[in-house]
Amino acid sequence: MSALEPTTPSAPQRVGWAWRPYALALPALVLLAAVIGYPLITIVLRSLSEPQWGLQNYTWFFGAPVNLTVLQRTFSISAWVTVVCVLCAYPYAYLMTAVGPRVRLALILCVLIPFWVSGVVRTLSWVILLQDSGVINSLLRSAGFDGVRLIRTQTGVVIGMAQVLLPFMILPLYSVMKGIDLRLVQAARSLGARPSRAFFTVYLPLSLPGVYAGAIIVFILALGFYITPALLGGPRSTMLSTLVQTQVLSLLQWGRGGAMGVVLLVATFVLLSLAAPVMRSRHREAGRR
């Protein structure tokens, strides 16, 4: 065999190369297990062992109507925040794909700048805007309208959380929309479809994967929000994260706080498992189109 001829790797060499990607990913897996797996296992064990081994913490959680009400409210607020983010982010992301490079850069900077500002600062700014004597009510009164109560309400919590989570919806939407071939819409219009029909039958289905990805991210992040509901909300807008904080830091009931966290985690997994088949089917339908 000539020295210049390529050599075919043997079977042991091929097996060794097949394991190289897993070996490279091993440090990341160890880090995830250390920073996510270990705390999660600790919380589960504490929910079962404090003050003694058993299911008394879960019995207490499901036996208290206020806990079930707060759990339902947590998912309701998170769902409303997701809907608001979708409605606000979709036209913004679409605009990012339709403008020139300079304007697109400015729009991207507007999305990224909130990441450079503390969430506490942004929430406190909403306190100033939404309070009864704040900017929004002052403008309404100067225009001849009655003031509206926004602070310490569920509406104010949804507004503040949506503003914080909006970038997490815009970026997945933009990443999908920029890959859509606009000639498909033009072809639909050339065949006689009105602009609105071409959008809803061609463009919207192709952009649904970005909607689903952003909605999942926003919904999951909204479930664990604490600072924004604590500063903008009131007793009627309390979320489960506030109860967890009360049980752990104020009452030192680690078992009950851990049970709340486990219930929220399991409920989230159940909802995602129910929604995943629907999202996959819609994704396949969009791909066939």
Side-chain angles (χ1 to χ4, degrees):
M1 181 183 294
S2 173
L4 298 179
E5 293 181 4
T7 59
T8 302
S10 61
Q13 289 177 330
R14 289 196 296 268
V15 173
W17 290 345
W19 280 97
R20 285 184 179 180
Y22 299 100
L24 293 175
L26 184 59
L29 295 176
V30 172
L31 179 62
L32 288 177
V35 301
I36 297 179
Y38 176 73
L40 182 59
I41 294 174
T42 302
I43 290 299
V44 174
L45 292 177
R46 285 199 166 191
S47 69
L48 296 172
S49 62
E50 294 187 8
Q52 59 186 4
W53 284 96
L55 299 176
Q56 66 275 0
N57 292 319
Y58 296 94
T59 304
W60 163 82
F61 180 85
F62 290 105
V66 63
N67 293 333
L68 300 179
T69 301
V70 173
L71 179 64
Q72 182 271 333
R73 184 188 299 136
T74 299
F75 280 93
S76 175
I77 291 177
S78 300
W80 276 111
V81 170
T82 304
V83 171
V84 172
C85 285
V86 171
L87 295 178
C88 295
Y90 197 95
Y92 191 93
Y94 180 80
L95 180 63
M96 292 172 64
T97 62
V99 298
R102 293 184 178 180
V103 179
R104 184 182 301 116
L105 179 60
L107 294 176
I108 293 175
L109 288 177
C110 292
V111 175
L112 297 179
I113 285 176
F115 287 111
W116 306 337
V117 181
S118 171
V120 178
V121 174
R122 282 185 284 173
T123 303
L124 290 176
S125 66
W126 277 111
V127 172
I128 298 174
L129 292 173
L130 300 178
Q131 61 185 345
D132 297 335
S133 58
V135 177
I136 295 178
N137 278 310
S138 298
L139 292 176
L140 290 176
R141 293 189 182 95
S142 62
F145 299 98
D146 295 331
V148 294
R149 183 171 177 79
L150 297 174
I151 199 71
R152 301 291 182 265
T153 63
Q154 186 169 317
T155 303
V157 172
V158 171
I159 293 174
M161 292 176 60
Q163 189 271 332
V164 174
L165 294 174
L166 193 59
F168 295 97
M169 178 66 72
I170 294 176
L171 295 179
L173 270 173
Y174 172 68
S175 65
V176 172
M177 287 181 174
K178 71 177 181 180
I180 298 177
D181 192 351
L182 296 180
R183 291 176 297 181
L184 298 174
V185 180
Q186 296 174 359
R189 295 186 62 181
S190 66
L191 294 175
R194 295 193 298 263
S196 59
R197 182 174 179 81
F199 174 82
F200 284 107
T201 58
V202 178
Y203 191 89
L204 180 60
L206 293 176
S207 64
L208 286 181
V211 175
Y212 294 148
I216 291 175
I217 295 173
V218 170
F219 183 77
I220 293 177
L221 291 177
L223 289 174
F225 255 53
Y226 168 70
I227 294 177
T228 303
L231 294 179
L232 297 180
R236 295 183 178 273
S237 56
T238 301
M239 297 181 66
L240 196 62
S241 57
T242 305
L243 294 187
V244 173
Q245 186 270 345
T246 301
Q247 291 293 330
V248 172
L249 297 182
S250 300
L251 303 178
L252 299 179
Q253 296 284 349
W254 284 86
R256 291 183 175 182
M260 288 180 174
V262 173
V263 169
L264 181 60
L265 180 64
V266 172
T268 304
F269 282 155
V270 170
L271 285 180
L272 292 180
S273 63
L274 295 176
V278 178
M279 293 182 181
R280 283 196 296 266
S281 63
R282 297 292 179 85
H283 186 87
R284 287 194 294 267
E285 292 177 2
R288 286 194 292 268
R289 293 182 186 180

